[in-house]
């Protein structure tokens, strides 16, 4: 959602969850079958920050804006978004929008949803998106000093105003991101129950959720926005592995697969012909390490993270495992995003350099001698074994320490321990754009206080530079400040960027389908004759 990050949405790179058997293609219902996994949490927009939940939430809800297959933004519910200074906004909604329970979508639907997402006691994972709004700090405090953000005001049924603490060149673009979706009054009566049976206003409505098996959605006849469903519905099928999903695709039992397994990357284009999809996307893979892991706090931790980074042979991994479907990371975002710079000061720490890695590791040992092993957690249902084993072997062979992968059964298992700070290992994680901006990658994961900051990174100067970039007068000025922020991230080696993605996806011969800028399918436009 994660990120959508640009996500849409969101979110963190998830992986299919649980079913061990292959699925049918939906019988006579005409639904399009797509790969998916069990969402980490109930389907509440402000608390969904991984893409297995995010890909469903984005179908069920509509926001002020939406993003097309190339990441271009358009107004969806917004009739107008006006601001004289990029700090004070007046937002007017289009008339006659309703939720699927028949209640109207109003300005209050947005204001109430945003205030709920920002309130610290609600523990919403996407709270950070509201941090630019006046009054956020009072609402997010523990305990809260206020229940609602003073920067949000309902003017009338279709109009509300938003006051930011400073000008933002990113705010309007971000308004298609899922935390900014409206929610109906019924949601606030029992949010957990609502998340199990969400009532949305998007191009689809929920038909059923069979946990760990499938989620079905059907077109919403009341939707009249810019992304109407061109199919009879979607079945999000949950797989135990991408290999099983790929076998189903080859057998005609799956219509769209967004991640071809590593075992098929060398041959899938030959196997599928024009049904193979190779498309640059805004996704990355990092190794995260929380500061409570022994030997990875303070100055010692900075040295060890840099040593581990320089012990990873990214080029070899990309060539031997992914056959060009991944690229070595050059920063903390993605090279497809506006403002990307591939020559940041400190990027040398992302290059394979065994001699320098050993020197840095020895310097860390001088602070506190290394003991134990370095385990890297990953979800076994996500086709990550090969890459994590390659990373671990590269580190082991370079630094001479015991290093290995540590598989968890499902993505949800890993995410729950990361979220609750009980993982006590290094862990594979990443971000998939929710909306096409470098800000979303950096703010979500590295801004102090963000609930999506899984590594508890905090650097006041990075915060200052990101906020200054948001307030910049021009994109070029903003990108320069973001480059400075990323230079500090590299100096701290906040986490360890490893790879970025070029989507290797596939479709069956039963559908027409495209992959979006973020690496997910353009679900509404999958056509099944």
């Amino acid at each position: 959602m994660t990120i959508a990050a640009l996500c849409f949405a969101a979110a963190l790179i998830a992986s299919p969850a649980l079913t061990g058997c292959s699925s049918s293609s939906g019988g006579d219902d005409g639904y399009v079958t797509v790969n998916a996994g069990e969402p980490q949490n109930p389907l509440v927009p402000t608390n969904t920050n991984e893409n297995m939940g995010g890909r469903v939430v984005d179908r069920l809800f509509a926001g002020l804006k939406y993003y097309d297959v190339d990441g271009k933004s358009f107004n969806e519910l917004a009739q107008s978004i006006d601001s004289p200074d990029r700090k004070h906004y007046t937002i007017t909604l289009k008339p006659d929008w309703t939720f699927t329970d028949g209640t109207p979508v109003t300005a209050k639907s947005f204001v109430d949803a945003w205030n709920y997402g920002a309130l610290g006691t609600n523990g919403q994972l996407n709270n950070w998106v509201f941090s630019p709004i006046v009054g956020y700090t009072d609402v997010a405090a523990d305990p809260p000093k206020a229940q609602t953000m003073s920067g949000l005001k309902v003017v009338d049924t279709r109009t509300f105003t938003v006051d930011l603490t400073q000008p933002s060149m990113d705010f309007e673009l971000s308004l298609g991101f899922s935390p900014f979706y409206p929610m109906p009054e019924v949601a606030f009566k029992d949010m957990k129950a609502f998340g199990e049976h969400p009532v949305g206003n998007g191009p689809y409505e929920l038909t059923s959720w069979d946990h760990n098996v499938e989620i079905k959605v059907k077109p919403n006849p009341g939707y009249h926005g810019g992304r109407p469903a061109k199919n009879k519905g979607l079945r999000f099928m949950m797989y135990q592995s991408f290999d099983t999903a790929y076998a189903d695709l080859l057998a005609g039992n799956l219509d769209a697969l967004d991640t071809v397994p590593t075992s098929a990357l060398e041959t899938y284009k030959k196997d599928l012909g024009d049904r193979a999809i190779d498309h640059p996307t805004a996704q990355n893979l990092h190794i995260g390490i929380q500061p409570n892991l022994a030997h990875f706090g303070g100055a010692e931790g900075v040295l060890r993270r840099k040593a581990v980074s320089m012990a990873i042979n990214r080029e070899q991994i990309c060539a031997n495992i992914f056959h060009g479907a991944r690229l070595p990371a050059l920063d903390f975002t993605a090279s497809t995003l506006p403002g990307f710079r591939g020559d940041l000061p400190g990027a040398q720490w992302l290059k394979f350099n065994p001699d320098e890695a050993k020197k840095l590791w020895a310097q860390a040992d001088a602070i506190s001698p290394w003991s134990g092993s370095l385990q890297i957690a990953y979800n076994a249902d996500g086709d990550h074994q090969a890459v994590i084993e390659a990373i671990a072997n590269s580190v082991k062979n370079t630094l001479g320490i015991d290093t290995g992968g540590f598989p968890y059964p499902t993505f949800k298992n890993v995410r729950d321990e990361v979220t609750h700070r009980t993982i006590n290992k290094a862990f594979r994680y990443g971000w998939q754009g929710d909306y096409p901006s470098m800000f979303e990658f950096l703010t979500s994961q590295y801004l102090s206080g963000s609930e999506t900051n899984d590594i508890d990174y905090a650097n006041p100067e990075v915060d200052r530079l990101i906020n200054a970039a948001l307030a910049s007068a021009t994109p070029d000025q903003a990108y320069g400040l973001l480059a400075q922020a990323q230079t500090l991230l590299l100096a701290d080696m906040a986490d360890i960027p490893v790879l970025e993605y070029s989507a290797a996806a596939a479709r069956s011969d039963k559908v027409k389908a495209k992959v979006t800028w973020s690496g997910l399918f353009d679900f509404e436009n999958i056509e099944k004759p």
Side-chain angles (χ1 to χ4, degrees):
M1 349 10 125
T2 0
I3 51 352
L6 320 154
C7 85
F8 121 87
L12 286 171
I13 296 173
S15 311
L18 284 174
T19 187
C21 56
S22 60
S23 59
S24 70
S25 59
D28 295 328
D29 62 11
Y31 279 38
V32 171
T33 57
V34 297
N35 71 287
E38 178 70 7
Q40 181 188 9
N41 297 309
L43 299 173
V44 175
T46 50
N47 203 41
T48 300
N49 77 331
E50 43 76 34
N51 78 27
M52 290 304 155
R55 65 183 61 200
V56 181
V57 165
D58 282 341
R59 315 281 74 79
L60 302 178
F61 291 86
L64 296 169
K65 303 183 80 70
Y66 73 94
Y67 313 105
D68 70 6
V69 67
D70 298 316
K72 185 178 180 181
S73 66
F74 298 88
N75 283 355
E76 190 164 28
L77 266 75
Q79 180 170 293
S80 62
I81 302 173
D82 297 319
S83 176
D85 55 7
R86 294 185 295 134
K87 183 177 181 181
H88 304 285
Y89 290 82
T90 298
I91 299 173
T92 302
L93 306 181
K94 295 173 182 176
D96 304 324
W97 276 82
T98 61
F99 293 101
T100 54
D101 64 356
T103 58
V105 180
T106 66
K108 188 174 184 294
S109 306
F110 282 91
V111 171
D112 286 352
W114 297 9
N115 278 320
Y116 179 87
L119 188 63
T121 51
N122 289 331
Q124 299 297 281
L125 292 173
N126 287 324
N127 71 325
W128 57 271
V129 306
F130 306 108
S131 60
I133 299 175
V134 171
Y136 168 80
T137 53
D138 289 339
V139 171
D142 186 15
K145 298 178 181 179
Q147 295 295 304
T148 59
M149 291 180 283
S150 57
L152 291 180
K153 302 291 184 185
V154 174
V155 176
D156 57 39
T157 303
R158 291 174 45 216
T159 308
F160 66 103
T161 60
V162 186
D163 294 330
L164 307 183
T165 57
Q166 64 172 31
S168 172
M169 65 167 47
D170 204 52
F171 182 71
E172 182 174 347
L173 177 63
S174 74
L175 291 175
F177 185 14
S178 63
F180 292 110
Y181 291 156
M183 288 192 283
E185 290 185 9
V186 67
F188 306 101
K189 297 177 181 178
D190 187 340
M191 193 61 73
K192 183 177 180 180
F194 174 80
E196 293 291 333
H197 304 280
V199 175
N201 63 321
Y204 295 87
E205 58 183 301
L206 185 70
T207 300
S208 62
W209 183 356
D210 187 359
H211 286 279
N212 298 314
V213 178
E214 70 171 18
I215 293 175
K216 292 180 68 175
V217 299
K218 64 182 180 180
N220 172 14
Y223 175 81
H224 49 274
R227 50 187 182 111
K230 293 184 179 179
N231 47 64
K232 295 181 180 179
L234 302 168
R235 296 177 72 209
F236 293 94
M237 305 301 302
M238 301 173 192
Y239 284 90
Q240 186 177 15
S241 74
F242 283 114
D243 287 291
T244 304
Y246 186 65
D248 261 8
L249 184 108
L250 293 176
N253 294 326
L254 182 68
D255 292 317
L257 174 63
D258 61 27
T259 305
V260 171
T262 54
S263 60
L265 286 175
E266 192 172 6
T267 62
Y268 85 105
K269 292 181 180 179
K270 180 180 179 181
D271 293 341
L272 298 173
D274 63 1
R275 295 189 287 122
I277 301 170
D278 182 358
H279 185 69
T281 62
Q283 295 172 260
N284 60 35
L285 183 154
H286 291 198
I287 301 298
I289 302 176
Q290 293 172 343
N292 61 356
L293 185 64
H295 295 291
F296 281 93
E300 180 191 358
V302 173
L303 290 167
R304 294 204 188 278
R305 289 191 295 274
K306 287 180 178 177
V308 170
S309 178
M310 299 183 83
I312 299 171
N313 193 333
R314 294 166 176 81
E315 289 78 7
Q316 186 178 76
I317 291 171
C318 289
N320 293 351
I321 296 177
F322 294 111
H323 303 281
R326 303 290 185 272
L327 302 171
L330 296 174
D331 78 342
F332 293 84
T333 65
S335 62
T336 58
L337 298 174
F340 171 82
R341 299 182 181 180
D343 57 351
L344 294 172
Q348 69 270 18
W349 290 310
L350 303 180
K351 301 289 187 181
F352 183 54
N353 189 331
D355 291 338
E356 187 64 22
K358 292 173 184 176
K359 290 179 183 177
L360 293 173
W361 194 259
Q363 291 175 30
D365 280 343
I367 297 174
S368 177
W370 174 256
S371 60
S373 63
L374 178 62
Q375 298 176 318
I376 306 173
Y378 66 96
N379 50 302
D381 62 353
D383 195 33
H384 302 305
Q385 181 178 356
V387 65
I388 295 303
E389 287 184 351
I391 291 170
N393 285 335
S394 191
V395 173
K396 179 179 181 179
N397 292 337
T398 300
L399 299 179
I401 62 171
D402 183 22
T403 310
F406 191 99
Y408 282 67
T410 71
F411 176 71
K412 176 176 169 56
N413 296 148
V414 176
R415 288 305 310 161
D416 285 347
E417 290 200 9
V418 169
T419 300
H420 295 113
R421 304 304 191 262
T422 57
I423 190 80
N424 292 318
K425 305 172 189 69
F427 54 92
R428 182 220 68 87
Y429 79 139
W431 197 260
Q432 185 166 16
D434 298 301
Y435 64 96
S437 167
M438 295 178 72
F439 283 104
E440 198 241 350
F441 278 68
L442 298 175
T443 305
S444 61
Q445 297 179 92
Y446 307 108
L447 192 71
S448 303
S450 167
E451 288 289 342
T452 310
N453 183 342
D454 288 333
I455 54 174
D456 296 326
Y457 177 77
N459 185 327
E461 182 62 9
V462 171
D463 293 348
R464 186 193 71 78
L465 287 165
I466 290 175
N467 288 324
L470 284 168
S472 296
T474 66
D476 284 345
Q477 182 183 9
Y479 298 145
L481 290 166
L482 289 183
Q484 293 180 44
Q486 290 212 73
T487 298
L488 291 179
L489 290 174
L490 285 165
D492 292 338
M493 197 53 65
D495 61 15
I496 302 171
V498 181
L499 308 172
E500 64 171 273
Y501 283 56
S502 180
R507 63 173 179 85
S508 76
D509 58 6
K510 300 175 183 178
V511 299
K512 297 178 181 179
K514 291 183 178 180
V515 169
T516 70
W517 63 275
S518 69
L520 295 175
F521 275 99
D522 185 13
F523 292 106
E524 286 78 20
N525 289 310
I526 299 178
E527 296 185 66
K528 188 174 189 177

